[in-house]
Amino acid sequence: MEWTDSTWNPVAGCTILSPGCTNCYAMGMARRLEAMGQGKYAGTTRVSGGRAKWTGTLVMDEGALDIPRRWSKGRMIFVNSMSDLFHEDVPLDFIARVFTVMRETPQHTYQILTKRAERLAELAPHLPWPDNVWMGVSVESEDYWPRVDHLRRTGGYVKFLSLEPLLGPLKTLDFTDIDWVIAGGESGPNARPMDPAWVRAIRDACVAQRVAFHFKQWGGRNKKAAGRTLDNRTWDQWPAKARVAVVAA
């Protein structure tokens, strides 16, 4: 992810939850990491229809918990790019330990993204929410907009939306209490199309509501060729409350 310096994966493995998961890059990546001998990913995927799919096996990686403590210089860290921290099979105790590490490493800024917004809202009162933790939810179509309402109930210092892979138009577009909106199309050989009108509606709502907007990509089979220009410019806005993360040497 172009806006992060590092990823941190205390959990490996996941399950498909909604249409936005269908072509998740992490399934293929987990399969490759297992083939490379990384035991952490053993059994987390299987091959079906010629493609890697999650098996539902999750691994809580105790050894990975303290990794951010070893990075003295501040980093922007994406948490669990290879899983979902709020997956129903991740115990509250383990999630709390992840949050403790984040609270005790204030030099870093952490970004957490989940599709399990109901469980996020349920557990949020039991977790510490330091101001270096950004919390986001993924929304791929209007059917999943209620995830945003669950996000609003959390203590994330920065609350953000990942509207990607955008698979349909969003009609609600109420960004009350939301600090940052990311939008983008799906990429890869099985990418589903995205209508430019869907992106423009999101961009226009962000402008009207004074919410930072980041357009990630048009996507498609060749995302580099498609680019990320929207109406003759790039959109790389950051949330107003963003802390500056220093990239580690």
Side-chain angles (χ1 to χ4, degrees), residues 179 212 238-243:
D179 302 291
W238 282 83
K241 293 192 288 187
R243 304 178 345 148

Side-chain angles (χ1 to χ4, degrees), residues 23-211:
N23 295 318
C24 176
Y25 72 91
M27 293 189 287
M29 178 64 72
R31 193 74 184 176
R32 290 192 291 273
L33 291 171
E34 179 180 359
M36 293 166 60
Q38 294 199 27
K40 172 177 177 173
Y41 296 96
T44 60
T45 64
R46 59 184 174 84
V47 175
S48 176
R51 301 168 62 190
K53 304 284 181 64
W54 295 124
T55 62
T57 296
L58 268 70
V59 177
M60 308 316 134
D61 187 355
E62 298 278 345
L65 278 174
D66 282 338
I67 287 176
R69 300 185 195 277
R70 304 171 196 162
W71 298 330
S72 58
K73 292 185 178 180
R75 302 187 184 194
M76 183 73 76
I77 300 172
F78 188 81
V79 182
N80 268 359
S81 62
M82 300 298 292
S83 184
D84 186 329
L85 185 62
F86 289 92
H87 190 284
E88 54 273 18
D89 291 337
V90 180
L92 171 58
D93 175 68
F94 193 84
I95 297 172
R97 291 169 67 192
V98 171
F99 269 72
T100 296
V101 172
M102 295 190 292
R103 184 188 64 207
E104 294 178 355
T105 51
Q107 71 271 30
H108 303 312
T109 298
Y110 295 90
Q111 299 172 333
I112 309 170
L113 187 62
T114 186
K115 286 185 172 68
R116 275 82 175 173
E118 289 188 23
R119 188 163 192 243
L120 164 65
E122 174 188 342
L123 300 186
H126 305 287
L127 298 169
W129 289 94
D131 65 7
N132 64 333
V133 174
W134 298 11
M135 188 69 234
V137 296
S138 296
V139 176
E140 62 261 47
S141 66
E142 182 68 20
D143 289 344
Y144 299 97
W145 188 263
R147 292 172 181 167
V148 181
D149 295 323
H150 291 302
L151 173 64
R152 293 189 232 268
R153 294 164 50 195
T154 74
Y157 179 68
V158 168
K159 298 179 180 67
F160 69 97
L161 306 182
S162 177
L163 308 180
E164 58 172 334
L166 193 59
L167 303 178
L170 297 175
K171 300 176 182 178
T172 304
L173 293 178
D174 173 9
F175 297 138
T176 302
D177 295 329
I178 301 301
D179 302 291
W180 193 31
V181 173
I182 303 160
E186 192 168 52
S187 59
N190 300 297
R192 290 160 285 184
M194 179 177 66
D195 189 327
W198 305 343
V199 183
R200 290 191 175 99
I202 295 166
R203 187 268 319 273
D204 292 347
C206 286
V207 170
Q209 298 173 51
R210 298 184 179 181
V211 175

